[in-house]
Amino acid sequence: QLQLVESGGGLVQPGGSLTLSCAASGVTLDYYAIAWFRQAPGKEREGVSCSSAYGSTTNYADSVKGRFTISRDNAGNTVYLQMNSLKPEDTAVYYCAAVHITRVVGTTLRSEDYDYWGQGTQVTVSS
């Protein structure tokens, strides 16, 4: 059973940066598409960014294009979300999710496509 653990959330001022991490223990994430989702109070969960298995392709929601970057470490155990130029509307609980390459090829930002989820990390953008 794949277990995902997010970290790196916190409070940041508008225009600031944060880097979120999604780590798996004992399993390489190379064989999984990994996505970041977020959910703000009273809103539906939103797909933010996705990295296909092996990191060959990436995809971003229009709301974060040019500001967020998804990447993987060489060891294949951690996926990052670098968030720059943060805005108050980026405030949400951020979740990472995974699906095996045998189920999804390429990228997807549909939450129903993902089988494994982390517990979430809070990001608050406020002055």
Side-chain angles (χ1 to χ4, degrees):
Q1 182 79 1
L2 176 63
Q3 292 186 327
L4 303 173
V5 179
E6 302 100 332
S7 61
L11 173 64
V12 63
Q13 292 187 342
S17 298
L18 277 177
T19 299
L20 305 182
S21 299
C22 174
S25 57
V27 174
T28 177
L29 294 178
D30 287 347
Y31 306 124
Y32 294 84
I34 305 295
W36 286 95
F37 292 82
R38 66 186 181 187
Q39 189 164 20
K43 294 189 176 181
E44 291 189 356
R45 187 167 295 186
E46 174 192 17
V48 173
S49 181
C50 178
S51 170
S52 65
Y54 302 100
S56 53
T57 58
T58 58
N59 190 18
Y60 297 91
D62 288 342
S63 57
V64 305
K65 277 181 183 176
R67 300 189 298 123
F68 290 10
T69 302
I70 191 169
S71 63
R72 296 173 181 253
D73 73 339
N74 290 334
N77 296 328
T78 306
V79 176
Y80 303 99
L81 185 68
Q82 173 69 43
M83 305 185 296
N84 298 326
S85 302
L86 283 162
K87 306 174 181 179
E89 51 263 44
D90 294 318
T91 295
V93 178
Y94 283 70
Y95 301 88
C96 67
V99 60
H100 197 268
I101 192 173
T102 55
R103 292 248 297 120
V104 168
V105 176
T107 62
T108 173
L109 290 178
R110 303 192 323 159
S111 60
E112 58 266 37
D113 289 336
Y114 288 86
D115 298 320
Y116 305 97
W117 292 83
Q119 81 289 350
T121 185
Q122 176 71 46
V123 172
T124 303
V125 185
S126 175
S127 55

